[in-house]
């Protein structure tokens, strides 16, 4: 009857994903609230605690939970360092607490409690008997208490046993009767800060050469100041490997490339090497190492692309033909999405004879770049490769390097996107790029920040990418870029832009979400100083993100009432850090909006008529909002958004 | 890399309770819809099936699932007989289906497909190679197809491979590539019909004696006709065991009993015996056996009470002192809820020295009554006994007798009530007794019929019990009894009344939810023929329940718009059985309500202007409702409710 042991029930555990099949994600060193339903039979007092241990071994730490309401319990806990951890729950019946409560009621009702007092004394004696593992001080306290109880009359016993001191002592030393354990160990993945809070800047090094020449890593080193000055902390490159020549794509994705066309960096692999090689025109591995070091000196991390497809010239094809699909005529099978064909790309096969050799090689590609200082990988199209591969590979890498971050570039069906996050991707591309209206943004962000996925999926809101020139930005002009910037950077913890965004580049291949003359297929020259840029906004927003603790945990987002369907109004509050920000964004890039809004005084327990101090984080001035209802005008040409810091009464002053 | 095997993901499984920790419940022989999210990486066609096997062994049966939308899949399945079953999910990639779809697109785009046709031929050859386990007929069909493909030119191959016949053949015989299995076996508890659909009548045999004498089982036999005529199918008795004399309660729960007072049947155990004995005044075990047999002849099942507490005179106390709590002065610990004391009752202790001997004895008590023909047990206050005991005990009994039913009488906190259902109780008392308003009933029934608990908790809606004389019925008069009857009997699958309800007995102990002169403490004499009874309503409602298939699955309940806050309007539809019922209930026992309501034409795909045939199941007349909007008057004194059967176009005519 081993089943008999777990007398206390555990349910609805907050960080349990699919019955413990997947790890919930937290940030190492940051408190989080762990919750569960815990309850026993009958009316006895129970107590509960959460236990935490590292997968690599070490001691179990324990945090007692507190009862909230309706059998819901909670504890604030944190994980000290990145890695895989395990959580579980215990609970027990506290017989002395039950006795204490029952006896207090009987005393209040004027009942005789002599027998109860003797029962209480016996509970103290049992605590001492069971207390072999107790430290000297509580053991001494119990011994003394017991001696005094034995000498006392009923009045003395009652006074001793009902005292707060005895209650506390017994709470700390009493035996854990019917100690029950939750039947599952729950995995918990702790990541470093950048997993949840990072500002990405994406660029192609080859376009950053001087005077139109093919850019090099040294050219990038020269421009690290520029990226850092804008306030970014991750600098991300699409693939930097040799590019195939067979069926190379020409400008604007044309089927024939001229002799000088550089080809798509996603057609990886050529005579010069594959996924561990560097495109000769960018520099050498030593140049790359210097770049990684220089970036670190600037407070920047380099993120690389991990794109598994190969060009038809990739060395693997000859070295490992069994990793690929071959056709009846002996030709290699190109990528396709019938009837479309992608003849500059071939895909590997993950099963049959490719398992495990290909899996090991792909893991080693990642470990190779980790050895060269790269700890962030943006993974191209992970949803077209097997889930088990990612789950295994990410676990393998993170077991060796717990601070590695993987961003899933999967614009796919909702459940597939979430599955990738569950199986280990640290961050996820999202549907943000296609959410524009107030209703769409509110619904989507509510899902991301309030539903279960908040425990395992961290969105990274890219405002644009080399693959996505959003229709909205193609016609919105500069106000639209400013709006999308502030939304991306303040609705999510992680966000990014792809270069050109800062100068409002939006010229499309007509009718498509593609950039005209995309650098995916040709070198570009960028003039980031041209008039109309939004670099001041970028600097400001990145500074606000860096300076205000409320920006760090994206799940603290709450929407508030603004009486205009084109105005998104939201707050990010961190009460522990006294950091309270409000945001108004005019979603209409073409017309000013004058609207009423409600200052969320209720969030601070204030009446509608209260006053609250506020700072305009764009202008810097401080003043007071009197009462709940206010109006504001946001003009897309001058001020498409507003950001406020609140100073509620009782909060510390900055 | 065993992880590599399960390439296809399974999530959101409909009948998975707490990660497979508990069994979902179904009715043996009835179809139910099993659903799950199933998806793979990439764009290949996948297929999925649910597998079912009996816990006691036997073959695995398999039902292929169909894709609904958004990666959701479903299958209608059923379990052939009561018992414990196990479900799991499998899925695989169908390479021929993928090939077929891709090739069709290429052909439609005018592309050359010679190579594709050879690839298709090879898939057929592989199906044959892998098909060692195939039956003769499909093996022959594959062999013939392959021979014809080898002889054919491209046009012939295309015609053969793209045909529906080949598609079907390959669907049935193709290998299951990347066969993946869900990582969990899900327990499924199948019960007989009465678990989900039953009408209970509760009475105390001792009050059914002739001329005020103590009733006997023979007296009950004489009145089985009465119960069956009302349309009930379960006849339930509170405890029938010897009653203790120590601290026996007198009439109206008074502390002192006179010499002739019978005491509470819940003070179980006396010199004459305990939980396996019968109160001598009721008869002998042989009398009881005759009663069970006579009841069966009337289409009635006998349900017994299983109440674990003991009177201070119970033989167990002397035979098994270690099953009880003793006080420092050597006295037994009575039940209490400080400062209240229950001195006619002592509780057993389930742990320490009582485990396992007490557990085994309690199980054997149940098995004893099962051996005497009782298969339904109403369990008294299960929430004050350990969850593990119930989980173990119910499993032990149902492993031997899969048709046993346990009803949990637990009016406790919501999560505890649900937990008892999860750990094995077949049916559950509910909060129905305290839900009266339209908003309360709508919210509560929506929870019971739409949320996850519908898969494991089957409510039994008692309109009253010996312990609950609802405040509402104390003052509502006859209209209130009619209303609560129709609500209990038509909102849930299981419902019950306690005798006296049919004659609108509602006299309370003033200010309490207790009956005055309750038969819990004294004999009563009932005149069930007295004026003002509602036996006609009971017969009608029980007949409607029995005759209309829509009444059998309580989760088919849907609420519809009636424009009056005192009118509850709902439907019970079973499309497979062409059974469509509508209900209007006036919740106000004091005033007629005239109200507008909408005929749910939309449920049948009909426009608002459509007509639909309808039968008034109270009057019997049939007519037509033209259009969606109608009005109705329900007068509490004459017609507090209406029940309609719809005959939508296309449905079979009764």
């Amino acid at each position: 009857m081993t089943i008999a042991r777990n007398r206390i029930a555990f349910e609805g555990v907050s960080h349990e994903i699919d019955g413990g099949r997947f790890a919930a994600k937290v940030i190492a060193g940051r408190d989080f609230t762990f919750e569960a339903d815990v309850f026993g039979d009958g009316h006895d007092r129970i107590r509960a605690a959460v236990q935490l241990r590292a997968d690599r071994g070490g001691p179990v730490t324990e945090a007692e939970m507190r009862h909230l309401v309706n059998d819901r319990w909670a504890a604030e806990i944190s994980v000290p360092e990145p890695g895989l951890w395990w959580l579980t729950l215990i609970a027990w019946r506290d017989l002395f607490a039950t006795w204490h409560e029952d006896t207090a009621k009987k005393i209040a009702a004027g009942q005789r409690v002599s027998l109860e007092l003797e029962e209480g004394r016996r509970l103290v004696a049992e605590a001492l008997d069971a207390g072999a593992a107790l430290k000297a001080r509580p053991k001494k306290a119990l011994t003394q208490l017991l001696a005094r109880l034995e000498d006392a009359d009923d009045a003395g016993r009652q006074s001793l046993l009902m005292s707060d001191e005895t209650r506390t002592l017994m709470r700390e030393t009493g035996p854990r009767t019917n100690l029950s354990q939750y039947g599952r160990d729950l995995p918990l993945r702790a990541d470093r800060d950048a997993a949840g809070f990072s500002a990405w800047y994406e660029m192609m090094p080859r376009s950053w050469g001087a005077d139109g020449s093919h850019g090099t890593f040294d050219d990038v080193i020269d421009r690290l100041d520029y990226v850092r000055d804008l306030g970014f902390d991750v600098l991300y490159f699409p693939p930097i490997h040799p590019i195939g020549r067979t069926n190379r794509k020409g400008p604007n994705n044309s089927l024939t490339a001229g002799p000088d066309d550089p080809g798509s960096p996603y057609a990886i692999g050529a005579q010069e090497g594959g996924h561990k090689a560097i495109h000769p025109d960018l520099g050498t591995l030593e140049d790359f190492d210097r770049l990684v070091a220089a970036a670190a000196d600037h407070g920047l991390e380099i993120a690389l692309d991990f794109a598994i497809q190969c060009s038809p010239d990739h060395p693997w094809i000859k070295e490992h033909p069994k990793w690929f699909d071959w056709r009846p005529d002996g030709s290699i099978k190109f990528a396709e999405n019938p009837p479309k064909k992608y003849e500059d790309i071939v895909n590997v096969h993950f099963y049959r004879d490719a398992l495990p050799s290909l899996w090991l090689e792909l893991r080693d590609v990642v470990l190779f770049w980790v050895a060269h200082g790269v700890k962030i990988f943006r993974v191209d199209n992970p949803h077209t490769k097997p889930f088990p591969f990612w789950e295994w590979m990410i676990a393998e890498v993170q077991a060796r390097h717990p601070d590695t971050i993987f961003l899933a570039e999967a614009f796919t069906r909702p459940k597939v996107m979430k599955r990738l996050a569950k199986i280990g991707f640290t961050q996820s591309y999202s549907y943000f790029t296609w959410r524009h209206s107030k209703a769409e943004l509110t619904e989507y962000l509510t899902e991301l920040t309030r539903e279960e996925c908040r425990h395992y999926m961290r969105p990274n809101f890219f405002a644009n990418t080399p693959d996505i020139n959003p229709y909205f930005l193609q016609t919105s002009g500069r106000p639209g870029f400013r709006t999308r910037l502030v939304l991306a950077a303040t609705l999510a913890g992680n966000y990014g832009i792809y270069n050109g965004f800062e100068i409002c580049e939006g010229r499309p291949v007509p009718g498509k979400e593609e950039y005209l003359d995309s650098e995916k297929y040709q070198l570009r020259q960028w003039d980031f100083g041209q008039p109309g840029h939004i670099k001041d906004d970028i600097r400001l927003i990145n500074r606000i993100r860096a300076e205000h603790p409320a920006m760090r945990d994206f799940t603290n987002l709450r929407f508030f009432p603004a009486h205009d369907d084109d105005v998104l109004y939201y707050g990010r509050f961190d009460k522990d850090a006294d950091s309270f920000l409000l945001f108004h964004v005019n979603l209409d890039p073409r017309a000013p909006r004058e609207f009423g809004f409600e200052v969320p005084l209720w969030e601070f327990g204030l009446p509608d008529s209260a006053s609250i101090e506020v700072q305009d984080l764009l202008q810097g001035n401080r003043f007071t909002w009197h009462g709940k209802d206010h109006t504001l005008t946001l003009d897309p040409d001058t001020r498409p958004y507003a950001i406020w810091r609140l100073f509620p009464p009782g909060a510390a002053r900055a």
Side-chain angles (χ1 to χ4, degrees), chain A residues 494-535:
Chain A
N494 304 296
Y495 92 104
I497 61 168
Y498 156 57
N499 76 182
F501 190 93
E502 67 265 53
I503 52 172
C504 307
E505 171 68 36
R507 285 170 303 141
V509 173
K512 296 198 169 178
E513 250 181 354
E514 288 278 342
Y515 285 103
L516 187 66
D517 301 333
S518 166
E519 335 175 71
K520 287 195 290 186
Y521 311 105
Q522 66 192 80
L523 304 190
R524 287 285 301 268
Q525 282 188 277
W526 297 102
D527 176 5
F528 295 127
Q530 72 184 47
H533 66 73
I534 61 164
K535 291 189 289 187

Side-chain angles (χ1 to χ4, degrees), chain A residues 90-271:
Chain A
I90 58 169
W92 62 94
R93 300 199 308 152
D94 184 333
L95 297 190
F96 188 83
T98 305
W99 174 91
H100 194 279
E101 190 173 308
D102 287 353
T103 304
K105 284 179 190 160
K106 292 173 185 173
I107 292 168
Q111 296 176 5
R112 227 180 104 79
V113 293
S114 291
L115 279 176
E116 281 77 3
L117 293 171
E118 170 57 15
E119 285 164 341
R121 188 199 65 79
R122 291 182 181 192
L123 289 171
V124 175
E126 281 163 23
L128 194 60
D129 284 350
L134 287 177
K135 288 185 179 152
R137 224 162 66 116
K139 193 175 268 180
K140 191 175 162 198
L142 280 177
T143 309
Q144 287 176 342
L145 173 62
L146 198 58
R148 293 174 68 192
L149 285 169
E150 272 154 13
D151 294 342
D153 61 5
D154 275 4
R157 285 184 162 196
Q158 178 171 326
S159 151
L160 280 167
L161 285 168
M162 302 308 288
S163 73
D164 285 346
E165 202 185 337
T166 298
R167 234 166 115 173
T168 304
L169 179 64
M170 286 298 287
R171 185 173 172 85
E172 286 165 4
T173 61
R176 294 181 166 185
T177 304
N178 292 115
L179 182 63
S180 303
Q181 180 154 14
Y182 187 44
R184 283 189 188 119
D185 279 353
L186 303 176
L188 191 68
R189 166 80 210 167
D191 293 302
R192 60 187 168 107
D193 280 339
F197 186 71
S198 60
W200 292 44
Y201 185 81
E202 174 174 7
M203 50 79 72
M204 298 206 187
R206 71 188 188 183
S207 285
W208 281 27
D211 307 322
S213 63
H214 193 289
T216 67
F217 291 143
D218 281 333
D219 291 322
V220 177
I221 290 174
D222 289 345
R223 307 285 289 278
L224 291 172
D225 278 338
Y226 170 77
V227 180
R228 188 55 199 168
D229 171 61
L230 290 176
F232 292 99
D233 36 50
V234 176
L235 178 59
Y236 153 52
F237 305 148
I240 56 171
H241 313 299
I243 295 170
R245 295 216 149 259
T246 302
N247 301 328
R248 177 177 280 189
K249 293 293 179 72
N252 289 305
N253 203 19
S254 57
L255 287 177
T256 48
D260 296 331
D261 286 332
S264 163
Y266 288 94
I268 295 171
Q271 213 175 340

Side-chain angles (χ1 to χ4, degrees), chain A residues 45-63:
Chain A
R45 291 288 106 185
I46 63 167
R47 286 162 62 194
V50 51
Q51 293 185 329
L52 180 71
R53 64 182 168 81
D55 186 65
R56 55 168 171 60
V60 174
T61 61
E62 187 175 298

Side-chain angles (χ1 to χ4, degrees), chain A residues 390-409:
Chain A
W390 296 119
E391 186 166 11
W392 170 83
M393 194 277 279
I394 293 172
E396 283 276 300
V397 173
Q398 290 186 335
R400 293 163 172 81
H401 305 282
D403 51 350
T404 316
I405 288 170
F406 293 90
L407 164 61
E409 186 250 7

Side-chain angles (χ1 to χ4, degrees), chain A residues 413-433:
Chain A
R413 310 193 301 280
K415 289 167 187 170
V416 177
M417 188 181 272
K418 285 180 176 167
R419 182 79 176 190
L420 290 163
K422 287 182 185 177
I423 62 177
F425 280 92
T426 323
Q427 300 180 358
S428 306
Y429 276 60
S430 74
Y431 303 129
F432 167 73
T433 325

